């Protein structure tokens, strides 16, 4: 298996172990992520401009380029989305308590899944959305975006990981696979022992590939509007 993927997997596993008991640090990190994205907007736009230029050179459709393109307003929306995730109740604090006829109390308590791998395509906002949702639920995010948004994704992920570190959460909680080849994606699908759940977010071809090839547990989403 790809040595870099194993390195990411080990760091994600270590981070996931600490995230399970991170408590209020998760919300602190989400707020800091939001602030840092806004503060570093010029750097994100610079990297995104490279992606857009490369996409135009490859002849990608205008509809796809629009999905790829970031603006100041779109980055503000990404940052605000993280604050909305922060405002959600902590799912790990919820549980159910059942009193049996014999007086025995049985409690069900929600726990994190561990490391969530997400394979997605052209939209760079998914990097922040996925990282934020994983963090809120106490899971490490193992992210693999598409090649068209590589520079944007790398910069966003760098900002998010640094924000985590400043709040006492391991950088391994948010990681991006920088090799966007199909071979690396295929290897990621087989990372039993490192990835606890794999989620494909994209078109029918991507979803089919993950479902057919991944021995790692998969959540199969629909195509089109996925809510």
């Amino acid at each position: 298996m790809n040595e870099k993927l194993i390195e990411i997997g080990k760091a994600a596993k270590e981070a996931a172990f600490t995230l399970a008991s991170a408590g209020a640090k998760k919300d602190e990190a989400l707020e800091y992520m939001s602030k840092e994205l806004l503060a570093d907007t010029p750097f994100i736009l610079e990297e995104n401009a490279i992606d857009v230029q490369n996409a135009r050179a490859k002849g990608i459709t205008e509809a796809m380029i629009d999905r790829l393109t970031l603006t100041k307003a779109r980055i503000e929306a990404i940052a605000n989305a993280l604050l909305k995730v922060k405002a959600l109740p902590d799912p790990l604090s919820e549980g159910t308590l059942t009193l049996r006829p014999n007086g025995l109390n049985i409690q069900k308590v929600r726990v994190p899944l561990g490391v969530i791998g997400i394979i997605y395509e052209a939209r760079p906002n998914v990097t922040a959305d996925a990282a934020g949702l994983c963090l809120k639920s106490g899971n490490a995010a193992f992210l693999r975006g598409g090649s068209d948004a590589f520079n944007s994704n790398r910069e966003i992920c760098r900002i998010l990981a640094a924000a985590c570190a400043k709040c006492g959460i391991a950088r391994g909680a948010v990681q991006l696979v920088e090799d966007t080849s199909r071979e690396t994606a295929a290897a990621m699908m087989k990372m039993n022992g490192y990835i606890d759940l794999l989620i494909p977010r994209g078109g029918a071809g991507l979803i089919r590939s993950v479902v057919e090839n991944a021995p790692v547990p998969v959540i199969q989403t629909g195509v089109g509007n996925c809510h």
Side-chain angles (χ1 to χ4, degrees), residues 13-117:
K13 272 292 185 185
E14 291 176 5
F17 182 76
T18 60
L19 276 172
S21 57
K25 282 186 179 180
K26 296 183 297 182
D27 285 345
E28 182 183 350
L30 286 165
E31 183 169 355
Y32 204 77
M33 284 176 172
S34 177
K35 290 179 180 178
E36 291 296 284
L37 284 173
L38 294 176
D40 287 354
T41 292
F43 302 105
I44 298 172
L45 292 177
E46 284 179 11
E47 296 300 319
N48 183 248
I50 296 172
D51 288 332
V52 171
Q53 183 179 5
N54 292 339
R56 291 192 187 281
K58 289 163 60 176
I60 289 177
T61 65
E62 285 301 315
M64 290 298 295
I65 288 175
D66 180 63
R67 293 182 184 183
L68 174 63
T69 302
L70 292 175
T71 63
K72 183 179 178 182
R74 288 182 175 183
I75 294 173
E76 287 175 355
I78 293 170
N80 287 333
L82 289 172
L83 295 180
K84 290 179 180 179
V85 173
K86 176 198 169 188
L88 295 172
D90 188 341
L92 303 184
S93 66
E94 297 182 4
T96 59
L97 184 64
T98 303
L99 177 63
R100 303 301 298 160
N102 63 357
L104 179 66
N105 281 320
I106 299 176
Q107 187 175 17
K108 290 182 180 179
V109 180
R110 287 181 179 173
V111 297
L113 293 164
V115 177
I116 297 181

Side-chain angles (χ1 to χ4, degrees), residues 186-208:
M188 185 176 167
M189 296 176 200
K190 296 176 172 62
M191 291 187 69
N192 299 78
Y194 296 100
I195 294 176
D196 297 292
L197 177 70
L198 193 59
I199 302 175
R201 188 190 188 282
L206 169 64
I207 294 168
R208 184 171 58 250

